[in-house]
RNA sequence: UGGGGGAUCGUCCAAUGGCAGGACUACGGACUCUGACUCCGUCAAUCCAGGUUCGAAUCCUGGUCCCUCAGCCA
């Protein structure tokens, strides 16, 4: 294991280490327990990296367990997507693919045991009545009139609940704990409810389903999980988690630990809000490259390593926090820099004619595919009289600190020649449509024999050889760091109107003509891009901008514009 | 107003009674055939008030602020 992939310690790892040192366990077992009711997002990635990472580093195992106790919201489509995402992230649960629904029979037996012990009862109050009896945060609840039913009656009723004799909502099984408990979770929590709904795995075998609190800890115990790691909002549930384990004859005794869930600036993470973005067509589906879902990140061009490294860098703690998305972008660039082959592509083409370059001539120039890793090899790039450069790389009236092409100025065309702008051609609207330039034949390859320097090297493509491509420029989805609170309750109020820019007629070098879907490249000086895995066509590829390069000039330019120095 | 948690650079995470440290961001510089990368540097924090101690981010007392819980969701 290299230093780069070694996860830093955190309070949960310290607990595991201490427990192991004390001989509490022979082998640590964790679990990642998603409910298959939606797609995984980068917050889940944090949990996955934590759970699988601990198992890996302490010679333990991590189970994948689907918490499928509520069939009304769950679908096989989600379990398949979740498995694909965990696998993509690089984690392996081997043969330990479990489902809470696998334990329905055992869970039922546990419930019967509680009834026999006088620790659970069938309540026939309505949901509204139960709520009314629960009390409030500051007032104790009241006992249900059904709380003192006999064991026999409870056994009979519960068996008939299972047998399907009752309508949904007519009865529930409740734990008999304490209606005056200051922790509301302990005020006789519901264990089972009647739901005549087909389950994606058990079909119609059951019409009663266990609640999360009842199922979760017992499932952990059945599997032999040692450290059950979940997010902070379950802290209040821990006494209940423990109550079931303390009151039932369980084979193993897991412990629950809670950490703070991930919040990322300029994005939303709740399933409800992500669903809304999808349903209202604000994004293009769960795998829209702007989504913080794993599938969205994948389509955007993230690598599993970038996501994992990010998850290590953010750490694990108990305080609520909001991680700056800049850290995610840093992790991304850090990884892509090492693995993306370089190419030249012009997003907004500006035609350049090299007046002293023969019309019928064309030559091939050698270019490195990676600036520091020779293993990437080289390629040949065609050069000819008519070229395209980036519109942003020319200013007729260059401001201070603008180093690129301008009238009378010389720059280098990457891997090619030094050129000087001699004339500017405009259309009737006064827009620059073409540049006339001259090249210095002595600078082939990019270096001047006389040693003269230029301030800038720009990218280009040969007009006749370039391939057309569509490019989608993705930006953050929201314009406010915290969309949850910024929009006055309406998180959609601060959507970034420029989160997607579609470009057509981009010109890329011919080496990219048959690029494979999903391929990752860097367009030099612009950013990292990936060939879209869905929308590429035989006529031309479609690229998604994964992330820009760091761009100090963009910052300067913005400041200049803000000051009104330039238009 | 009950219970359960949490407060450390702008952000995230460390420091487990002994020099408040790292990363990101920002800013400055070096290098550069990518205004990238890399390298160097700078700015920058212990919620407040008391107390214990030779010594407190850490322990004690009192406050303040934030999160969380009243699903037959997870």
């Amino acid at each position: 294991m290299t230093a780069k992939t070694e996860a830093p310690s955190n309070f949960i790892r310290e607990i595991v280490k201490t427990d192991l040192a004390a001989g509490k366990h022979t082998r640590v077992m964790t679990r990642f327990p998603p409910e298959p009711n939606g797609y995984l997002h980068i917050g889940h990635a944090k949990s996955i990296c934590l759970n699988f990472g601990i198992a890996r580093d302490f010679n333990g195992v991590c189970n994948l367990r689907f918490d499928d106790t509520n069939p009304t919201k769950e679908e096989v489509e989600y379990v398949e997507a979740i498995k694909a995402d965990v696998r993509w992230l690089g984690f392996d649960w081997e043969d330990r693919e479990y489902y809470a629904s696998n334990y329905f029979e055992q869970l039922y037996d546990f419930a019967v045991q509680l009834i026999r012990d006088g620790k659970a009862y069938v309540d026939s109050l309505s949901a509204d009545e139960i709520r009314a009896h629960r009390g409030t945060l500051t007032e104790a609840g009241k006992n249900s009139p059904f709380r003192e039913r006999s064991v026999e009656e409870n056994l009979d009723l519960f068996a008939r609940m299972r047998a399907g004799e009752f309508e949904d909502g007519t009865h529930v099984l409740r734990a008999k704990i304490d209606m005056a408990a200051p922790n509301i979770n302990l005020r006789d929590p519901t264990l089972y409810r009647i739901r005549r709904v087909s389950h994606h795995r058990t079909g119609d075998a059951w019409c009663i389903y266990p609640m999360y609190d009842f199922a979760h800890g017992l499932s952990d115990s059945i599997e032999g999980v040692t450290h059950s790691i979940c997010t902070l909002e379950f802290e209040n549930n821990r006494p209940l988690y423990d109550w079931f384990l303390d009151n039932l004859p369980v084979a193993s005794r897991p412990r629950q630990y809670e950490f703070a869930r991930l919040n990322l600036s300029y994005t939303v993470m709740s399933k409800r809000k992500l669903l809304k973005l999808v349903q209202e067509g604000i994004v293009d589906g769960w795998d829209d490259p702007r989504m913080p879902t794993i599938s969205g990140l994948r389509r955007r061009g993230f690598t599993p390593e970038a996501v994992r490294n990010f998850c290590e860098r953010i750490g694990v703690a108990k305080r609520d926090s909001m991680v700056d998305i800049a850290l995610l972008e840093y992790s991304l660039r850090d990884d892509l820099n090492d693995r993306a082959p370089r190419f030249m592509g012009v997003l907004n083409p500006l035609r350049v004619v090299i007046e002293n370059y023969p019309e019928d001539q064309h030559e091939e120039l050698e270019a490195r595919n990676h600036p520091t890793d020779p293993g990437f090899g080289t390629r040949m790039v065609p050069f000819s009289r008519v070229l395209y450069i980036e519109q942003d790389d020319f200013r007729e009236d260059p401001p201070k600190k603008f180093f690129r092409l301008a009238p009378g100025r010389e720059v280098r065309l990457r891997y090619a020649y030094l050129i000087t702008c001699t004339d500017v051609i405009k259309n009737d609207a006064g827009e620059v449509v073409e540049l006339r330039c001259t090249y210095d034949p002595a600078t082939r390859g990019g270096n001047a024999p006389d040693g003269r320097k230029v301030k800038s090297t720009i990218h280009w493509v040969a007009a006749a050889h370039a391939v057309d491509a569509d490019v989608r420029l993705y930006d953050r989805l929201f314009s406010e760091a915290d969309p949850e609170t910024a929009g006055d309750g309406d998180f959609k109020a601060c959507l970034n109107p420029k989160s997607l820019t579609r470009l057509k007629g981009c010109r890329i070098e011919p080496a990219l003509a048959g690029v494979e879907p999903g391929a990752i490249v860097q367009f030099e000086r612009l950013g990292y891009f990936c060939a879209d895995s869905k929308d590429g066509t035989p006529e031309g590829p479609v690229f998604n901008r994964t992330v820009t390069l760091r761009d100090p000039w963009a910052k300067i330019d913005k400041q200049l514009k803000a000051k009104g120095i330039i238009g």
Side-chain angles (χ1 to χ4, degrees):
Chain A
M1 193 125 317
T2 68
K4 197 173 181 178
T5 54
E6 184 102 16
S9 194
N10 56 56
F11 77 98
I12 296 177
R13 283 172 172 264
E14 290 304 316
I15 289 166
V16 171
K17 200 182 295 176
T18 305
D19 288 350
L20 252 16
K24 278 195 194 173
H25 316 287
T26 50
R27 186 181 68 166
V28 59
M29 183 186 286
T30 56
R31 102 268 92 113
F32 173 63
E35 182 187 16
N37 69 344
Y39 289 83
L40 262 25
H41 55 61
I42 192 164
H44 294 107
K46 178 181 181 181
S47 173
I48 291 166
C49 291
L50 215 210
N51 279 294
F52 279 94
I54 284 174
R56 179 235 292 139
D57 296 342
F58 291 95
N59 278 313
V61 292
C62 179
N63 304 341
L64 175 62
R65 182 172 75 237
F66 291 95
D67 231 332
D68 56 349
T69 56
N70 182 4
T72 56
K73 297 161 70 178
E74 299 155 3
E75 292 172 31
V76 274
E77 176 200 345
Y78 296 127
V79 346
E80 292 310 317
I82 288 167
K83 282 158 64 177
D85 287 347
V86 176
R87 231 179 259 125
W88 178 78
L89 271 173
F91 296 104
D92 185 5
W93 56 91
E94 299 173 312
D95 59 346
R96 296 177 312 281
E97 176 180 326
Y98 300 139
Y99 296 80
S101 56
N102 291 165
Y103 314 134
F104 279 174
E105 198 63 52
Q106 291 170 80
L107 260 12
Y108 180 84
D109 291 342
F110 276 133
V112 168
Q113 185 64 48
L114 286 176
I115 295 172
R116 288 211 172 95
D117 294 342
K119 293 172 177 169
Y121 62 97
V122 173
D123 196 349
S124 307
L125 253 25
S126 70
D128 283 344
E129 290 167 326
I130 287 178
R131 186 179 314 121
H133 278 74
R134 188 150 31 226
T136 67
L137 294 179
T138 51
E139 298 164 287
K142 295 193 299 268
N143 286 353
S144 164
F146 301 102
R147 198 172 197 260
E148 300 307 328
R149 286 217 254 231
S150 70
V151 168
E152 291 66 32
E153 188 182 3
N154 283 321
L155 252 13
D156 174 61
L157 253 16
F158 189 47
R160 290 164 61 193
M161 281 170 64
R162 175 178 184 172
E165 291 188 25
F166 307 119
E167 294 302 309
D168 287 16
T170 52
H171 307 276
V172 290
L173 184 72
R174 291 230 257 168
K176 191 189 283 190
I177 305 181
D178 179 7
M179 288 305 291
N183 181 342
I184 291 175
N185 289 302
L186 264 17
R187 318 241 263 230
D188 290 10
T190 303
L191 270 34
Y192 273 87
R193 74 286 215 186
I194 303 170
R195 276 258 215 291
R196 292 155 182 288
V197 174
S198 282
H199 186 281
H200 64 100
R201 297 205 30 109
T202 59
D204 296 319
W206 294 85
C207 64
I208 57 171
Y209 293 96
M211 298 288 288
Y212 163 85
D213 284 304
F214 182 65
H216 200 92
L218 293 171
S219 298
D220 284 341
S221 175
I222 288 166
E223 290 173 17
V225 167
T226 55
H227 301 260
S228 182
I229 304 165
C230 62
T231 44
L232 244 31
E233 67 269 26
F234 291 101
E235 274 179 318
N236 299 321
N237 301 49
R238 182 165 11 103
L240 186 49
Y241 181 100
D242 289 335
W243 189 88
F244 293 119
L245 298 173
D246 290 343
N247 285 278
L248 255 359
V250 293
S252 84
R253 182 55 217 250
R255 295 283 166 187
Q256 174 182 303
Y257 300 95
E258 311 86 13
F259 70 98
R261 66 185 324 130
L262 172 66
N263 293 299
L264 247 193
S265 61
Y266 297 99
T267 190
V268 294
M269 211 68 88
S270 87
K271 239 173 222 176
R272 208 194 94 244
K273 295 193 175 79
L274 295 176
L275 180 66
K276 206 162 187 174
L277 294 172
V278 173
Q279 283 177 339
E280 299 187 13
I282 294 165
V283 296
D284 206 13
W286 287 98
D287 66 346
D288 185 292
R290 291 164 293 179
M291 291 283 272
T293 49
I294 305 293
S295 52
L297 297 174
R298 180 165 56 229
R299 193 166 173 199
R300 174 82 170 249
F302 275 71
T303 58
E305 289 80 2
V307 178
R308 278 191 257 127
N309 289 340
F310 170 73
C311 289
E312 280 164 20
R313 282 190 256 248
I314 59 176
V316 177
K318 292 199 74 153
R319 82 185 79 152
D320 293 305
S321 61
M322 167 89 67
V323 174
D324 192 336
I325 198 161
L327 185 59
L328 215 212
E329 293 171 349
Y330 168 80
S331 302
L332 222 205
R333 293 186 184 112
D334 188 43
D335 184 57
L336 262 21
N337 182 46
D338 291 341
R339 70 170 75 236
R342 270 58 169 177
F343 292 94
M344 292 195 286
V346 175
L347 265 26
N348 297 295
L350 174 58
R351 188 179 152 93
V352 170
V353 177
I354 311 294
E355 294 190 302
N356 60 338
Y357 195 89
E359 215 148 323
D360 52 358
Q361 190 174 319
H362 128 260
E363 63 189 301
E364 300 276 331
L365 277 347
E366 188 175 37
R368 281 194 302 277
N369 293 332
H370 195 279
T372 54
D373 185 347
F376 280 80
T378 62
R379 67 187 186 284
M380 301 310 283
V381 184
F383 183 89
S384 60
R385 185 172 203 263
V386 182
L387 312 168
Y388 289 110
I389 66 166
E390 205 68 60
Q391 285 175 20
D392 283 349
D393 285 339
F394 174 80
R395 286 284 175 84
E396 190 175 14
D397 185 18
K400 216 172 152 122
K401 292 187 185 165
F402 182 88
F403 303 145
R404 284 109 98 143
L405 198 60
R409 189 182 284 180
E410 183 172 56
V411 300
R412 173 166 38 235
L413 294 179
R414 178 137 230 223
Y415 298 122
Y417 294 97
L418 265 38
I419 62 165
T420 303
C421 177
T422 53
D423 202 4
V424 179
I425 297 171
K426 299 180 184 177
N427 62 14
D428 294 341
E431 297 158 347
V432 176
V433 292
E434 183 179 306
L435 265 25
R436 310 298 284 197
C437 296
T438 57
Y439 85 116
D440 178 353
T443 60
R444 188 175 200 275
N447 290 308
D450 63 5
R452 73 180 188 278
K453 302 282 185 206
V454 288
K455 291 276 273 204
S456 182
T457 299
I458 65 175
H459 60 277
W460 54 277
V461 292
H465 304 78
V467 173
D468 265 331
D470 287 1
V471 176
R472 298 155 177 168
L473 269 21
Y474 291 104
D475 200 353
R476 39 190 70 157
L477 237 191
F478 293 93
S479 48
E480 294 287 340
D482 186 1
E484 310 269 356
T485 60
D488 232 15
D490 179 17
F491 71 102
K492 289 180 296 172
C494 49
L495 278 164
N496 174 11
K498 292 184 186 151
S499 65
L500 169 58
T501 305
R502 295 170 190 274
L503 261 25
K504 290 202 175 295
C506 303
R507 312 286 289 166
I508 63 179
E509 61 174 281
L512 250 17
V515 68
E516 292 171 40
I520 289 170
V521 303
Q522 182 194 101
F523 284 134
E524 295 212 40
R525 303 206 306 131
L526 297 174
Y528 297 98
F529 294 75
C530 75
D532 191 80
S533 47
K534 282 185 174 173
D535 297 339
T537 64
E539 301 86 65
V542 173
F543 282 95
N544 298 328
R545 184 174 68 194
T546 309
V547 66
T548 62
L549 260 26
R550 281 186 71 226
D551 187 0
W553 165 249
K555 211 169 286 178
I556 296 167
D557 192 37
K558 203 173 162 188
Q559 284 166 2
L560 291 175
K561 279 176 176 145
K563 286 181 196 162
I565 291 174
I566 52 172

